[in-house]
Amino acid sequence: MLTLADVFEALTGIRRESASQNFCEAVIDSRQAKAGSLFVALPGERVDGHLFVGDALRNGSTAALIDRDLPGEQMADLPVLDLRPGALVEDDAIHAEKFCIRVENSLTALQTVAGFYRRKMPARVIGITGSVGKSTTKELTSEVLAEKYRTLKNVGNLNNEIGLPLTLLNLRPEHERAVLEMGFYVPGEIEFLCSLAQPAVGVITNIGTVHAERAGSQEMIARGKAELVQSLPADGVAILNYDDPWVRPMAEKTQARVFYYGLDPAADLWADEVESQGLEGIRFQLHSGSETFHLHIPLIGQHSVHTALRAASVGLAEGLSWGQIIEGLRRPHAQLRLVTVRAKNGALILDDSYNASPESTMAAMNLLRELDGHRVLVLGDMLELGPYERQGHEMVGARAAEVADRLIAVGERARMIARSAMQAGMPAEKISWVADVPDALALLTAELTEQDLVLVKGSHGLRMDRIVAALGGTE
């Protein structure tokens, strides 16, 4: 586990073996602090972590990483270990029960320490990126690899310049594999994350329009995602989606061995005869060379076959037997972020409210189409689409007209979904537009029956999860 001596060496180039304190983990939320943790004080969008150093230390943290003076007289006597260039290190601070570590920039220091620590750990890293399906691929890949290896993965969505370093600091010598989701907002970000994590295997799911507002065009998004395969070593493996015209050409950008997956027989690992079993999962045939396997796995929706292909591809790259791969794919708790919730009145809610892009919304609607019942779509704004905003919302609206019996569009941008659905032939009386979540909830509360199947989806900023919580009685 991380030691204070590691922090010394990472930030100063000098190792102080007398700095023997161990840190069980690093946290950025004082409420998550526990005995032996290192609290990293980061300035946030709304609050500054330096305001909560005292809380973190009281909750058990041994030390706090800071880059400015602490507010409040109550911190005046706290020993400070100053690791800024040219600073004099006081031994008293090293051996204090509770202390602060002063650096020039706490985020940069966190990243530097995480990169240093990762290089000491033996785990082979699998990096995963793409526009849609990263988290599900991470979860299922971890299940597969766990059949043979001690495996670490990102928790939740800790996939950015803060979350990934925090995950790296959870590595232990006994970990043999680490499955790390890598998020992307701007060019250069994945390259930087790779410099910390040093992946040997890279998986690209697909290239969509999510984050186009910040990243630019779809071409720029593809370039950003390709940074993963460009960062792989010559003895690594790039696992690419053969079915995605933006991903397939990435083979030319990597020195690693390329392994294709998809629904095309030209791929190295491919699937056909995909059949949805509704909420019971999917059936399909898996083909690898001359071998064919008939599988039934607990992932929902035909689009989930690509998730299974990615996880199986990593399993093959990492030396698992087909028996181990299939056992990992069949684990019942390896599931999509989408979950089902029974409303108080008996309606079945498909909760996919965490986030939304045109691609993920189309996939979720295709799942709804596979189920029997009176289909209700509750679709919110899709944010950060940039120049694809109109095109994305209109595409979703046109598909909604083909899939749903009832549409409730939530938010200003969702007006485009409603308008497009009407233009595609959905009766006007079956379409409602509302400004916000409370208005949507009022409509649903008045209308829902036990025969309804309700898909709830929208960008995280709209907090569409409040609809699910209210209807399910978990508020």
Side-chain angles (χ1 to χ4, degrees):
M1 84 178 42
L2 181 72
T3 67
L4 182 58
D6 292 327
V7 175
F8 253 102
E9 187 174 358
L11 297 180
T12 69
I14 300 171
R15 190 166 186 86
R16 296 282 293 268
E17 293 296 350
S18 61
S20 58
Q21 294 94 325
N22 292 323
F23 299 114
C24 63
E25 65 177 341
V27 298
I28 59 172
D29 187 332
S30 62
R31 295 167 297 184
Q32 297 173 353
K34 62 183 182 183
S37 62
L38 172 65
F39 176 69
V40 183
L42 298 177
E45 294 181 3
R46 298 192 182 97
V47 295
D48 187 342
H50 291 80
L51 298 174
F52 300 94
V53 168
D55 291 338
L57 296 177
R58 282 187 289 272
N59 288 341
S61 286
T62 300
L65 194 66
I66 63 172
D67 60 17
R68 65 196 67 179
D69 292 334
L70 296 176
E73 294 181 1
Q74 72 276 15
M75 307 304 297
D77 296 328
L78 191 67
V80 176
L81 181 61
D82 198 333
L83 297 187
R84 290 175 294 179
L88 179 64
V89 176
E90 299 288 347
D91 282 345
D92 289 347
I94 293 176
H95 302 294
E97 183 179 350
K98 303 275 186 178
F99 59 97
C100 289
I101 304 171
R102 181 70 180 262
V103 295
E104 287 192 298
N105 182 286
S106 53
L107 175 57
T108 301
L110 168 65
Q111 295 163 342
T112 301
V113 170
F116 171 86
Y117 180 73
R118 185 272 172 274
R119 289 190 290 275
K120 294 181 60 178
M121 294 296 109
R124 185 170 158 98
V125 169
I126 292 87
I128 298 171
T129 195
S131 296
V132 179
K134 295 187 297 296
S135 295
T136 309
T137 300
K138 172 198 69 179
E139 295 294 332
L140 190 57
T141 299
S142 299
E143 297 286 354
V144 169
L145 290 178
E147 291 293 318
K148 183 174 182 178
Y149 301 112
R150 180 76 178 268
T151 303
L152 176 75
K153 64 181 180 182
N154 313 72
V155 176
N157 63 342
L158 293 178
N159 63 5
N160 61 9
E161 76 280 3
I162 298 172
L164 187 131
L166 292 173
T167 301
L168 290 175
L169 292 177
N170 285 326
L171 281 168
R172 298 293 180 265
E174 60 267 26
H175 285 128
E176 299 169 286
R177 298 293 184 273
V179 183
L180 303 179
E181 176 185 341
M182 296 181 176
F184 165 78
Y185 292 107
V186 294
E189 183 168 12
I190 289 179
E191 180 183 11
F192 173 70
L193 297 179
C194 288
S195 73
L196 301 181
Q198 298 183 316
V201 178
V203 182
I204 311 290
T205 64
N206 46 55
I207 301 300
T209 53
V210 64
H211 304 315
E213 187 172 66
R214 278 182 273 187
S217 67
Q218 201 165 4
E219 182 179 4
M220 289 296 292
I221 294 171
R223 289 181 188 173
K225 303 292 187 183
E227 291 171 7
L228 172 55
V229 297
Q230 289 172 320
S231 300
L232 297 175
D235 61 351
V237 185
I239 297 175
L240 304 179
N241 185 346
Y242 192 86
D243 301 330
D244 190 310
W246 290 100
V247 175
R248 193 190 313 168
M250 291 183 188
E252 302 170 4
K253 297 185 176 184
T254 184
Q255 60 180 335
R257 176 170 67 90
V258 173
F259 186 94
Y260 283 118
Y261 68 89
L263 302 182
D264 192 310
D268 298 293
L269 181 67
W270 59 284
D272 65 359
E273 298 192 17
V274 184
E275 179 186 355
S276 172
Q277 304 290 303
L279 298 179
E280 300 302 315
I282 55 173
R283 293 184 183 274
F284 58 94
Q285 285 192 149
L286 197 61
H287 303 274
S288 175
S290 61
E291 295 184 284
T292 297
F293 303 92
H294 301 268
L295 295 181
H296 178 203
I297 64 174
L299 291 178
I300 300 174
Q302 292 191 30
H303 62 282
S304 296
V305 70
H306 277 92
T307 305
L309 287 168
R310 293 169 201 137
S313 297
V314 174
L316 289 174
E318 294 305 284
L320 274 70
S321 68
W322 270 112
Q324 292 168 323
I325 291 170
I326 291 170
E327 186 63 27
L329 292 176
R330 285 175 171 166
R331 286 184 179 273
H333 54 283
Q335 190 47 272
L336 289 171
R337 182 173 274 148
L338 181 150
V339 295
T340 58
V341 176
R342 186 66 67 175
K344 288 177 286 188
N345 71 345
L348 184 65
I349 304 170
L350 305 180
D351 178 11
D352 199 9
S353 59
Y354 175 79
N355 218 334
S357 66
E359 295 80 13
S360 66
T361 304
M362 295 289 281
M365 289 192 295
N366 290 341
L367 165 61
L368 185 68
R369 188 71 182 87
E370 296 167 6
L371 305 177
D372 295 326
H374 183 259
R375 304 182 189 95
V376 180
L377 279 174
V378 185
L379 301 179
D381 291 346
M382 296 179 289
L383 306 178
E384 300 182 2
L385 298 185
Y388 301 99
E389 183 173 278
R390 178 172 298 278
Q391 175 187 346
H393 286 85
E394 289 181 349
M395 177 176 68
V396 165
R399 181 57 175 158
E402 299 171 345
V403 167
D405 301 299
R406 177 79 168 95
L407 169 64
I408 300 174
V410 186
E412 192 57 40
R413 294 170 179 83
R415 284 182 186 271
M416 292 182 278
I417 295 176
R419 185 164 52 246
S420 178
M422 188 178 302
Q423 292 171 348
M426 192 172 191
E429 63 271 16
K430 300 295 183 182
I431 303 172
S432 296
W433 173 83
V434 294
D436 52 31
V437 163
D439 288 345
L441 185 57
L443 267 181
L444 288 164
T445 302
E447 293 182 9
L448 280 192
T449 71
E450 61 180 344
Q451 284 77 38
D452 287 327
L453 291 169
V454 186
L455 172 63
V456 180
K457 192 162 180 64
S459 281
H460 185 63
L462 273 72
R463 290 293 313 279
M464 301 282 283
D465 59 299
R466 291 177 292 169
I467 295 174
V468 180
L471 293 176
T474 59
E475 281 193 313

